[in-house]
Amino acid sequence: MRDWLFVTDPLAHLKPAKDSSIAIMRAAQAAGHAVWACEVGHLMTDGDAVLAHATPLTIHPAGDTDWRAEGSRAVRPVSSFAATLMRKDPPVDAGYHTALQLLALAELDGAHVWNRPQAVANHNEKLAILRFPDLIPPTRVTRDAHDIADFLDLHGDIIVKPLDGMGGAGIFRVRAGDHNLGVITETATHHGHRHVMLQRYLPEIAEGATRVLLIDGEAFPYGLARIPKPGETRGNLAAGGRGEVRPLTPAQRDIAAAVGTYCRENGLMLVGLDVIGERMTEFNVTSPTCMVEIFRETGLDPAAHLVAAIDRQL
């Protein structure tokens, strides 16, 4: 038996009906590993050792309302765990970056961390798509109001999104002639103090934004399409979108193949690509989700595939 550490949001906030972190914990336990958990605030150093105030967990079968039993918390070196999975949700703020730096120090002491802390720090989930310009829609990153107005003039229908959000929070759709452009620009950029990402609006969003999972550089054969509710632009489930599990399309497979080798070579064991139509719009590396929905609909378990991939590397 090997001990695995999961760095997560507070356990009480995790939802077994949809949370991939719980699914991965359950798959790790089924593979014979002992599951431990901590929050980013439970990481510390003592001299050159990176320690975690970690709690051992017993994960109950799927369907149980009470999904875990907790043991007694202990202080352990992060390097004493066979694997550490960084599963904290965004925002990737100062506290998040501190945790990444601590986990990177733990790697120097022999810890095995996925996704690699430096890789997460280097790949903002919006900006990372710019590494693959042939796969994305027309995109601009700026905080200048004139740049935003110019991009709208060029494309006529655009999306404005923050660089550090999740779940569709803070995303605006703006069309040519929209009299709210000024206030949207002020709000999104914090009056010119925060960069935003602009993308040409993709009408294929009506058919869903599909989350494509890459596990050790390989595409899982099914994805979760998030379909906007009527009158809404965002397909995010947190924004009221409807999820539909579908086999990957040829275009989605091609995008995954183009990105997969890069992910494997750069310490990104688990990545969630967001694809609308034939274009990649986001590159999620912090805590990609949708495993529970895929397993429930297909009987194929992405979490088990991930655990097996980590076991192979270990």
Side-chain angles (χ1 to χ4, degrees):
M1 177 182 291
R2 292 172 164 173
D3 292 351
W4 283 26
L5 176 65
F6 289 76
V7 184
T8 70
D9 291 288
L11 295 176
H13 294 179
L14 303 186
K15 298 177 175 59
K18 71 179 190 65
D19 200 292
S20 291
S21 292
I22 297 175
I24 301 168
M25 291 178 186
R26 186 172 285 120
Q29 181 176 275
H33 304 302
V35 173
W36 293 65
C38 74
E39 300 171 28
V40 295
H42 297 151
L43 297 172
M44 61 170 288
T45 66
D46 187 17
D48 61 352
V50 180
L51 311 174
H53 292 263
T55 301
L57 303 178
T58 300
I59 312 301
H60 297 159
D64 283 11
T65 303
D66 183 11
W67 61 271
R68 72 193 186 280
E70 299 184 16
S72 299
R73 183 181 294 185
V75 180
R76 292 182 50 177
V78 173
S79 61
S80 71
F81 295 94
T84 295
L85 282 75
M86 177 53 160
R87 293 286 305 174
K88 172 75 174 68
D89 279 343
V92 183
D93 53 15
Y96 203 115
H97 277 288
T98 297
L100 292 177
Q101 291 184 57
L102 293 177
L103 292 173
L105 290 171
E107 286 184 313
L108 298 177
D109 195 33
H112 300 282
V113 184
W114 288 280
N115 285 325
R116 294 285 305 278
Q118 191 59 55
V120 175
N122 288 344
H123 293 82
N124 174 281
E125 297 189 320
K126 306 299 188 293
L127 295 177
I129 65 168
L130 300 175
R131 299 173 184 267
F132 310 97
D134 294 339
L135 304 179
I136 67 177
T139 299
R140 178 178 292 180
V141 176
T142 184
R143 64 184 191 182
D144 184 90
H146 296 292
D147 290 340
I148 296 173
D150 175 66
F151 192 81
L152 179 58
D153 288 341
L154 283 173
H155 298 289
D157 195 350
I158 68 173
I159 295 296
V160 182
K161 62 175 75 172
L163 299 181
D164 58 355
M166 64 171 291
I171 293 178
F172 297 93
R173 179 183 178 185
V174 189
R175 298 176 177 88
D178 192 328
H179 296 297
N180 291 312
L181 176 61
V183 69
I184 289 173
T185 297
E186 292 168 2
T187 301
T189 67
H190 289 194
H191 294 271
H193 289 89
R194 184 175 73 171
H195 281 77
V196 294
M197 176 169 280
L198 315 174
Q199 291 179 326
R200 186 184 69 196
Y201 174 74
L202 298 174
E204 296 91 338
I205 184 61
E207 300 299 320
T210 299
R211 172 61 55 84
V212 177
L213 290 178
L214 290 178
I215 299 173
D216 197 18
E218 298 291 332
F220 199 76
Y222 289 86
L224 182 68
R226 286 79 51 84
I227 303 164
K229 65 182 180 182
E232 176 62 78
T233 298
R234 302 166 298 172
N236 308 78
L237 302 184
R242 173 175 59 86
E244 185 176 303
V245 176
R246 299 171 179 168
L248 297 190
T249 67
Q252 291 162 356
R253 290 182 179 275
D254 288 345
I255 290 171
V259 175
T261 300
Y262 174 90
C263 295
R264 185 184 300 113
E265 291 176 348
N266 284 275
L268 295 169
M269 170 65 74
L270 177 62
V271 176
L273 308 178
D274 287 347
V275 180
I276 299 174
E278 298 184 354
R279 295 292 162 183
M280 178 172 64
T281 59
E282 292 192 16
F283 186 94
N284 299 278
V285 301
T286 52
S287 55
T289 188
C290 82
M291 292 183 173
V292 174
E293 294 89 344
I294 291 173
F295 183 38
R296 185 166 55 230
E297 295 297 322
T298 69
L300 301 177
D301 190 356
H305 280 249
L306 174 64
V307 169
I310 292 174
D311 273 335
R312 286 193 297 271
Q313 289 207 8
L314 291 173

